[in-house]
């Protein structure tokens, strides 16, 4: 494997384990910077890598006995519903839908995290 893939995977995996929120955004941004791929492929790859990280986390927490299965199944259902809606919208509307949605979500998340850090 290439060194930059290892560095990217280890750095973002560490961040996902340490903090979590925004990891998919960092995958998307770093893929765009490192590999110059189109946004639709980039977002799909970022979601796949985020899934791998979350699945490994789930295995770890199940092994340690720290999982609320009812809450997890409920959250999983709504995540799948959102993923289905997002994937169908991305395929139907393409980059003209993804780019403004992505930028809007990043700005809102940044504002929320900034608000929490400074005013909570």
């Amino acid at each position: 494997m290439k060194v930059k893939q290892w560095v990217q995977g280890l750095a973002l995996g560490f961040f996902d384990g340490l903090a979590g929120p925004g990891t998919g955004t960092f995958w998307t941004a770093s893929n765009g910077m490192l590999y110059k791929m189109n946004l639709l492929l980039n977002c799909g790859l970022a979601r796949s890598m985020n899934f791998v990280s979350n699945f490994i986390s789930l295995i770890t927490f199940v092994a340690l006995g720290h999982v609320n299965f009812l809450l997890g199944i409920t959250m999983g259902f709504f995540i799948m519903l959102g993923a289905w809606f997002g994937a169908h919208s991305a395929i139907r509307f393409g980059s003209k839908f993804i780019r403004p949605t992505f930028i809007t979500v990043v700005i809102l998340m940044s504002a929320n995290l900034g608000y929490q850090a400074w005013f909570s």
Side-chain angles (χ1 to χ4, degrees):
M1 288 195 106
K2 297 180 181 179
V3 173
K4 67 182 176 180
Q5 291 171 332
W6 274 97
V7 171
Q8 180 189 24
L10 290 172
L12 292 174
F14 178 78
F15 173 78
D16 197 16
L18 181 69
T23 304
T25 303
F26 290 129
W27 272 110
T28 303
S30 65
N31 284 343
M33 185 178 67
L34 294 171
Y35 307 112
K36 309 295 185 214
M37 59 181 66
N38 74 54
L39 190 58
L40 188 59
L41 177 62
N42 187 348
C43 287
L45 180 62
R47 299 309 162 259
S48 299
M49 299 315 305
N50 209 22
F51 171 78
V52 169
S53 178
N54 291 333
F55 186 70
I56 297 301
S57 295
L58 175 63
I59 291 170
T60 303
F61 283 111
V62 166
L64 295 172
H66 297 292
V67 175
N68 181 332
F69 286 99
L70 180 60
L71 179 62
I73 290 168
T74 304
M75 288 175 64
F77 171 76
F78 284 101
I79 288 170
M80 287 189 290
L81 183 64
W84 179 86
F85 177 75
H88 281 77
S89 298
I91 291 168
R92 184 172 180 188
F93 302 114
S95 289
K96 290 180 182 183
F97 169 76
I98 294 172
R99 188 174 309 278
T101 302
F102 177 78
I103 291 169
T104 301
V105 169
V106 168
I107 290 169
L108 290 173
M109 284 179 58
S110 298
N112 183 39
L113 289 171
Y115 177 82
Q116 289 176 354
W118 288 309
F119 300 112
S120 293

